Amino acid sequence: MSLLVQKYGGTSVGSVERIQAVAERVKRTVDQGHKVVVVVSAMSGETNRLIGLAKDISVQPKPRELDVLVSTGEQVTIALLCMALSEIGQEARSYTGAQAGIKTDNSYNKARIKDINTDKVMSDLDKGRVVVIAGFQGINEDGDVTTLGRGGSDTSAVAMAAALKADECQIYTDVDGVYTTDPRVVPNARKMSRITFEEMLEMASLGSKVLQIRSVEFAGKYDVTLRVLSSFTDSEGTLITKDDGDSVVEQALISGIAFNRDEAQITVLGVPDTPGIAHAIVGPVAEANIEVDMIVQNISPDNVTDFTFTVNRGDYQRTYDIVNGLAAELGATNMSGRTDIAKVSVVGVGMRSHAGIASKMFKALSKEAINILMISTSEIKISVLIDEKYLELAVRTLHDAFELDKSGNL
Ligand code: ADP
Ligand code: ASP
Ligand code: MG
């Protein structure tokens, strides 16, 4: 007998029929002799609908109230799924995040799970019940509802699996695993049977939303066996594994291509090239809790330089206003910004031991006349910033150039 945590995302519970199909799958798992804890998302589109309602009333709703609102989506799903389970003869109990003992810190809208009290869940499992928990939410020390950021149900599931010492955390979604890139953009993307935590972390942080980045961090830290699979089929899915160094033969040079449209660029022109200038620009932005991603500062023969950086598109206006307010003080001659840009990244641990990946990437993009605006690299990834209108072409081009549709692209 195993203890399994199964998470079902928005599309997987998107209608009454889908919820009934999930109930059948959960019951099948129980009938095979396993204990099952289910974590669910809101029905597809619901979280966006709720955020839309809030924005119709207030440009900047209070974060606390926003959490009270958006957490309701998941509460609907837990009740409906338990009703569906009951209809097919499976005893089940639904719990909100708070009821399931999920304690978080105080940062509304992007809370972190601090601790989980599993007593209630354990006692239900011992009584032969399925436990159905609302993902994406918890409770802070003031007793307020908090949410974990978009895609946060993945993290609820992994955290629950870690706390329960579950044998496996299964993330059921609308694709049958992790692909070499988003299969909706590149139809011949290849499903990977395995990917390392390190690569999955990089893919998630560079925009592949198949798993929320924190869920991968959590799984790596607490040694949770994590699998991504489809709620629509019966395939094995993708196992996220530790890089044990044994699988060199299998190790691909590039494992995947991630992309992110959620980018914006700001350039400060003609600032004096003196010590402290980078801090003078980036410091106030960071103080406003805005994350700066890529940074480029030009070489300046005449002691005057241009400084360019990127932020999340949602933070663009706020960042622009902050830097604009500083421009005079900085001695800048001008400032510009744009939001019609996107980031494409190639990711692979195999890159560590191979030169020439960057040049192959740049060559493939130049063949399609795609201009690179900025570049950033790490040991296991190369990212470029490009015009958003070329994003899909760039992803397809790189997927072809690195022959990711074929396995073993060494
Ligand atoms: P859920 O609602 O189940 O959490 P998400 O929409 O959050 O599902 O994540 C699944 C989606 O992630 C897929 O439909 C797919 O379009 C997208 N995706 C992006 N990159 C990848 C990738 N490399 N492999 C698989 N899916 C990906
Ligand atoms: N419902 C939340 C969202 O849409 C959480 C999740 O689906 O993981 O972001
Ligand atoms: Mg998701």
Side-chain angles (χ1 to χ4, degrees):
M1 175 190 278
S2 304
L3 171 54
L4 302 174
V5 173
Q6 298 189 332
K7 178 256 171 177
Y8 293 92
T11 318
S12 303
V13 294
S15 65
V16 163
E17 292 72 29
R18 289 299 314 150
I19 290 174
Q20 287 167 326
V22 166
E24 293 285 352
R25 188 181 288 272
V26 170
K27 176 142 195 326
R28 264 200 317 275
T29 315
V30 174
D31 291 345
Q32 285 159 6
H34 305 299
K35 289 184 174 178
V36 185
V37 172
V38 183
V39 173
V40 287
S41 292
M43 295 168 77
S44 57
E46 181 62 7
T47 308
N48 286 344
R49 187 185 75 86
L50 294 168
I51 293 172
L53 288 176
K55 298 272 160 154
D56 284 347
I57 289 182
S58 161
V59 185
Q60 214 152 22
K62 286 242 161 65
R64 179 187 182 280
E65 305 315 324
L66 196 58
D67 275 352
V68 173
L69 177 72
V70 296
S71 61
T72 60
E74 274 68 15
Q75 193 168 338
V76 169
T77 324
I78 52 170
L80 292 176
L81 179 56
C82 281
M83 291 173 196
L85 282 163
S86 170
E87 285 298 311
I88 55 173
Q90 174 59 55
E91 205 191 334
R93 277 278 167 95
S94 65
Y95 293 117
T96 63
Q99 288 175 310
I102 301 177
K103 314 236 170 59
T104 74
D105 64 13
N106 290 326
S107 25
Y108 301 109
N109 310 165
K110 47 173 191 286
R112 283 180 180 267
I113 296 175
K114 288 201 319 197
D115 182 42
I116 302 183
N117 179 340
T118 57
D119 293 351
K120 217 173 197 163
V121 174
M122 280 300 207
S123 129
D124 279 321
L125 289 173
D126 288 341
K127 293 187 182 105
R129 293 172 181 152
V130 165
V131 177
V132 180
I133 300 170
F136 178 54
Q137 55 177 266
I139 188 170
N140 67 12
E141 56 194 12
D142 298 331
D144 285 344
V145 180
T146 52
T147 65
L148 311 179
R150 298 308 303 267
S153 298
D154 297 333
T155 303
S156 308
V158 174
M160 210 65 216
L164 293 167
K165 301 194 170 47
D167 294 281
E168 190 165 297
C169 181
Q170 305 176 327
I171 307 288
Y172 282 94
T173 182
D174 54 5
V175 286
D176 60 357
V178 180
Y179 280 70
T180 45
T181 192
D182 190 337
R184 296 184 202 287
V185 172
V186 180
N188 68 347
R190 185 173 46 83
K191 195 194 90 182
M192 292 178 271
S193 55
R194 284 163 178 266
I195 182 171
T196 65
F197 277 108
E198 230 182 334
E199 288 168 316
M200 193 63 238
L201 258 184
E202 205 69 58
M203 293 275 283
S205 74
L206 294 168
S208 300
K209 66 167 187 166
V210 60
L211 285 175
Q212 196 200 34
I213 179 163
R214 279 189 192 162
S215 71
V216 189
E217 282 168 1
F218 227 103
K221 190 164 164 195
Y222 295 98
D223 246 333
V224 175
T225 305
L226 186 59
R227 190 186 290 278
V228 175
L229 61 184
S230 166
S231 68
F232 293 79
T233 65
D234 279 320
S235 77
E236 292 270 283
T238 300
L239 191 66
I240 324 293
T241 58
K242 286 222 150 119
D243 181 9
D244 50 17
D246 287 350
S247 47
V248 185
V249 202
E250 254 201 78
Q251 198 155 85
L253 195 51
I254 301 298
S255 53
I257 295 169
F259 55 86
N260 189 9
R261 295 176 197 277
D262 187 25
E263 301 277 338
Q265 184 190 49
I266 287 179
T267 300
V268 198
L269 294 148
V271 286
D273 189 11
T274 49
I277 198 72
H279 180 247
I281 298 170
V282 170
V285 176
E287 267 161 40
N289 220 352
I290 296 169
E291 209 176 305
V292 172
D293 181 15
M294 299 166 110
I295 302 178
V296 166
Q297 184 185 325
N298 289 346
I299 298 275
S300 50
D302 49 1
N303 292 330
V304 172
T305 189
D306 300 334
F307 190 91
T308 303
F309 63 97
T310 62
V311 292
N312 276 339
R313 211 173 277 181
D315 292 327
Y316 173 71
Q317 200 51 52
R318 229 158 38 99
T319 313
Y320 193 93
D321 293 346
I322 291 171
V323 178
N324 201 22
L326 294 166
E329 194 184 318
L330 293 167
T333 55
N334 210 342
M335 199 184 145
S336 68
R338 53 189 294 201
T339 54
D340 55 347
I341 50 167
K343 184 167 73 173
V344 187
S345 312
V346 298
V347 175
V349 290
M351 222 184 264
R352 276 199 188 113
S353 48
H354 284 77
I357 305 289
S359 92
K360 189 166 179 177
M361 180 180 188
F362 302 157
K363 184 174 168 196
L365 294 173
S366 83
K367 261 191 165 166
E368 294 296 333
I370 298 170
N371 192 32
I372 299 172
L373 306 169
M374 290 172 94
I375 301 169
S376 85
T377 64
S378 81
E379 255 198 319
I380 64 165
K381 72 113 204 277
I382 302 166
S383 301
V384 295
L385 199 72
I386 59 171
D387 275 348
E388 187 179 4
K389 63 175 185 265
Y390 298 125
L391 177 62
E392 301 207 344
L393 174 64
V395 174
R396 282 198 301 271
T397 300
L398 294 173
H399 200 269
D400 280 351
F402 288 102
E403 299 184 61
L404 295 185
D405 54 326
K406 306 191 181 86
S407 59
N409 51 66
L410 275 171

